[in-house]
Amino acid sequence: MFKLPQMTLSIRFKLFTTLLLTTGSVVLCMYLMMLWSFDRGFLDYVNKQEQQKYVEFSEALAEHWQENNSWEKLSNNRRSWDNLLNQYIDFPEFNDRDRGPRSFGPPGDFQRPPPPHKIGNRPLLLDKDQNMLIGRAIDLTNIQLHEIIVEDEVVGFLGQFPQKKLADELDVLFVEQQSRAFMLSALMMVIICVVAALPIAAHLVKPIRHLTKGTQRLISGRYKTVIPITSNDELGLLSKNFNTLANKLKENEKARQQWIADISHELRTPLSILKGEIEAIQDGIRVSSPQTINSLHAEVEHLNLLVNDLYELSMSDIGALNYQKSNIDIGHVLQDTLDSFRTEFENAGLTLAFNSKLKKIHHVFADATRLRQLFSNLLKNTLRYTDRDGRLEVEISAQPDEISIQFKDSEPGVSEAELEKLFERLYRVESSRNRATGGAGLGLSVCQNIVSAHDGTITTKASPYGGVWISVRLPALGFSKGAHKKRELL
């Protein structure tokens, strides 16, 4: 079956249509409300005018009562009633306005009917007991009665039929003219809204177009893309966040490229040495002696450590490292690790000082193996980068909610700007961190992941001895997020 392609509507068209429909609906509602209000208000105005005439007519009827002391003259002589009625409200004798001339006087005296009036029904005259004297009415519930009072006594009632619709031709014509004026005004407002909605929709969509084009450039790999921020509203905030995202992607891409270059360099160097050594033995340039074998073994060991560091770092990043957590004595773990490194520090000409401020045994909910790896990496960091005859001071203390472990080594130091980058992968300070010291710049990154897995923090700052001060803080037992677990898989 053939399917028609779906028509894609632009957001500008949708926004324009929304503005137009909303404005058109408001204008239509305003037009209908104004029309209804005007019709009702004008009808009330006409009824109030009639009511005033009825009040004046009731006063004239009160004077007639005072003169005659009865309604017999009016009820028996309709001509007198009509003459008195026409003096105050100019009501014709007949409701049929298309009838010819009517005689109201003696024979031969013809008059034109009075001009049409707003009143649609002739008034009624009732006595004080509301008995009908003049007029016809089946139901008096919808009739407004005006009291005829003489010397504070009600002597009768004048009945008025309130109008429910306009009857006078001029009134109807006036209302029709106003209705047409309202309609014309509504159409003009809609036209103005159409003209105004087009540039407004284009202005509102402009930042979205910038975002669309910028996103397409990001997809194509142009991470230097920056879009203009034209407002301080939500779209402006979105544009600002887009620029932040683009800058972050640019930094990540740069870091990725640097990462690949550094990894290639770190892997290629020991492989090149191994290849050269083996080829030299094959060509008979070097003899396969224990010294040569030890040199090859050292390069293999260096390559193995690098691969292991990369593996553990990648596994930690994806949350695939197993942490066998339990309640352990952190002071004992730290002491054992320091004791295992004392010989290496003595051979390197470094002093290893340990200061424990713990008054009692303190337990943490942690993986003892990973903590040993953490402490070992920090100690190796000092062994690799601290000058001979230097020192490392390790201090452990306890707070109610955390255990603090401080590592302060001696020169060489690290600048303030470089301290923040020590935990970046493969980062090495040029003046002190080079391959001759045996470091690939992954150890501190692994340390940071281990500390994070234990809900702790690790920070760096300048050491009072001229080197680097690394501070590790781990939550005390009972304050760890995972203290209720015996085993945690990250």
Side-chain angles (χ1 to χ4, degrees):
M1 179 181 290
F2 176 75
K3 292 183 179 180
L4 293 175
Q6 285 187 338
M7 183 174 61
T8 303
L9 301 179
S10 65
I11 190 171
R12 179 180 179 182
F13 176 80
K14 294 178 180 179
L15 187 58
F16 169 76
T17 305
T18 301
L19 291 174
L20 183 60
L21 290 177
T22 303
T23 307
S25 301
V26 172
V27 170
L28 179 61
C29 292
M30 290 178 61
Y31 167 73
L32 295 176
M33 290 182 64
M34 290 176 62
L35 192 61
W36 173 81
S37 178
F38 178 80
D39 289 344
R40 184 172 180 178
F42 190 72
L43 185 60
D44 291 340
Y45 168 75
V46 170
N47 283 327
K48 288 179 180 179
Q49 276 194 327
E50 291 180 0
Q51 186 176 1
Q52 182 62 32
K53 292 181 179 294
Y54 272 80
V55 170
E56 295 176 357
F57 188 32
S58 63
E59 293 176 353
L61 292 174
E63 294 178 359
H64 176 82
W65 173 271
Q66 286 180 334
E67 294 175 359
N68 300 281
N69 201 27
S70 70
W71 300 113
E72 291 184 5
K73 183 177 180 180
L74 289 177
S75 60
N76 295 330
N77 189 349
R78 294 295 299 275
R79 183 175 296 177
S80 298
W81 165 260
D82 291 337
N83 290 336
L84 184 62
L85 174 63
N86 291 330
Q87 288 178 10
Y88 289 92
I89 55 180
D90 297 329
F91 195 88
E93 185 173 357
F94 293 98
N95 289 329
D96 187 358
R97 298 176 182 179
D98 298 330
R99 297 280 298 269
R102 169 81 177 175
S103 175
F104 290 88
D109 185 9
F110 293 95
Q111 299 180 359
R112 291 184 179 275
H117 195 264
K118 300 182 183 71
I119 302 177
N121 294 284
R122 294 176 64 86
L124 307 176
L125 179 62
L126 299 86
D127 61 12
K128 63 180 180 180
D129 298 323
Q130 296 188 6
N131 295 317
M132 189 71 64
L133 297 177
I134 299 177
R136 295 179 180 179
I138 300 175
D139 186 6
L140 299 178
T141 56
N142 295 325
I143 298 176
Q144 184 177 358
L145 298 178
H146 300 271
E147 295 178 341
I148 303 174
I149 302 175
V150 177
E151 297 179 355
D152 297 331
E153 182 182 352
V154 178
V155 297
F157 294 92
L158 180 63
Q160 176 188 357
F161 290 92
Q163 293 196 64
K164 295 183 179 180
K165 63 179 182 178
L166 298 176
D168 186 77
E169 294 179 359
L170 294 178
D171 293 340
V172 174
L173 180 61
F174 176 75
V175 171
E176 291 177 352
Q177 290 176 345
Q178 295 302 311
S179 299
R180 285 194 294 269
F182 290 156
M183 183 178 295
L184 182 61
S185 300
L187 290 176
M188 290 298 297
M189 291 178 65
V190 171
I191 294 174
I192 293 174
C193 291
V194 171
V195 175
L198 285 172
I200 291 176
H203 175 73
L204 294 177
V205 171
K206 190 175 181 180
I208 300 178
R209 288 184 172 179
H210 289 318
L211 286 168
T212 302
K213 293 179 180 179
T215 304
Q216 292 172 349
R217 288 195 290 268
L218 284 184
I219 293 174
S220 63
R222 289 180 285 177
Y223 300 119
K224 295 182 179 180
T225 301
V226 177
I227 61 174
I229 300 175
T230 58
S231 62
N232 295 322
D233 55 9
E234 289 81 357
L235 288 176
L237 179 60
L238 182 60
S239 301
K240 183 178 179 181
N241 292 338
F242 177 89
N243 290 337
T244 303
L245 173 63
N247 185 61
K248 191 66 177 179
L249 289 174
K250 182 178 68 175
E251 294 178 355
N252 290 343
E253 177 63 15
K254 183 179 179 180
R256 185 187 68 84
Q257 294 173 353
Q258 186 64 38
W259 165 271
I260 293 175
D262 290 342
I263 288 295
S264 300
H265 173 74
E266 292 297 330
L267 293 175
R268 183 175 56 198
T269 302
L271 288 175
S272 298
I273 295 175
L274 285 173
K275 181 181 178 182
E277 293 281 352
I278 293 173
E279 289 178 349
I281 295 174
Q282 289 176 338
D283 295 337
I285 300 175
R286 297 191 63 177
V287 180
S288 179
S289 62
Q291 183 180 0
T292 305
I293 298 298
N294 290 337
S295 176
L296 293 176
H297 179 268
E299 292 301 328
V300 171
E301 186 65 23
H302 176 77
L303 188 60
N304 182 60
L305 290 175
L306 176 59
V307 173
N308 285 339
D309 285 346
L310 286 172
Y311 175 75
E312 290 187 0
L313 190 60
S314 61
M315 293 294 285
S316 178
D317 284 343
I318 65 176
L321 281 183
N322 288 325
Y323 284 83
Q324 307 292 336
K325 292 186 178 181
S326 60
N327 297 338
I328 64 172
D329 180 1
I330 188 171
H332 179 69
V333 174
L334 178 60
Q335 182 69 64
D336 285 348
T337 308
L338 292 175
D339 291 342
S340 66
F341 274 82
R342 287 194 181 278
T343 301
E344 294 186 46
F345 269 78
E346 291 175 359
N347 295 335
L350 301 176
T351 301
L352 178 59
F354 178 51
N355 181 19
S356 176
K357 294 185 177 181
L358 301 180
K359 304 297 182 180
K360 59 179 182 178
I361 296 177
H362 286 268
H363 291 88
V364 295
F365 188 69
D367 185 332
T369 302
R370 297 299 175 186
L371 287 188
R372 287 190 180 92
Q373 181 183 5
L374 166 67
F375 300 147
S376 297
N377 284 352
L378 294 177
L379 293 173
K380 290 177 182 177
N381 187 71
T382 298
L383 285 172
R384 288 169 179 168
Y385 306 122
T386 302
D387 293 340
R388 193 173 183 83
D389 297 329
R391 64 180 280 115
L392 171 65
E393 181 180 299
V394 181
E395 180 182 292
I396 182 171
S397 60
Q399 301 294 330
D401 59 340
E402 67 179 12
I403 305 297
S404 174
I405 307 170
Q406 312 296 325
F407 294 80
K408 308 172 189 176
D409 62 21
S410 57
E411 296 180 344
V414 178
S415 66
E416 196 72 27
E418 292 175 322
L419 280 174
E420 300 178 355
K421 301 179 180 179
L422 290 181
F423 296 109
E424 294 181 5
R425 286 92 186 273
L426 302 174
Y427 181 80
R428 292 179 297 183
V429 181
E430 293 300 327
S431 61
S432 62
R433 297 194 174 195
N434 50 62
R435 194 175 183 278
T437 61
L442 292 173
L444 291 183
S445 297
V446 174
C447 291
Q448 186 179 45
N449 285 358
I450 293 175
V451 173
S452 298
H454 288 83
D455 302 324
T457 59
I458 182 170
T459 57
T460 60
K461 59 182 177 179
S463 168
Y465 305 118
V468 177
W469 182 347
I470 298 179
S471 176
V472 177
R473 298 180 185 274
L474 298 174
L477 186 63
F479 290 89
S480 175
K481 296 179 181 177
H484 64 284
K485 299 179 182 178
K486 295 299 181 181
R487 176 185 176 96
E488 182 175 349
L489 179 62
L490 295 181

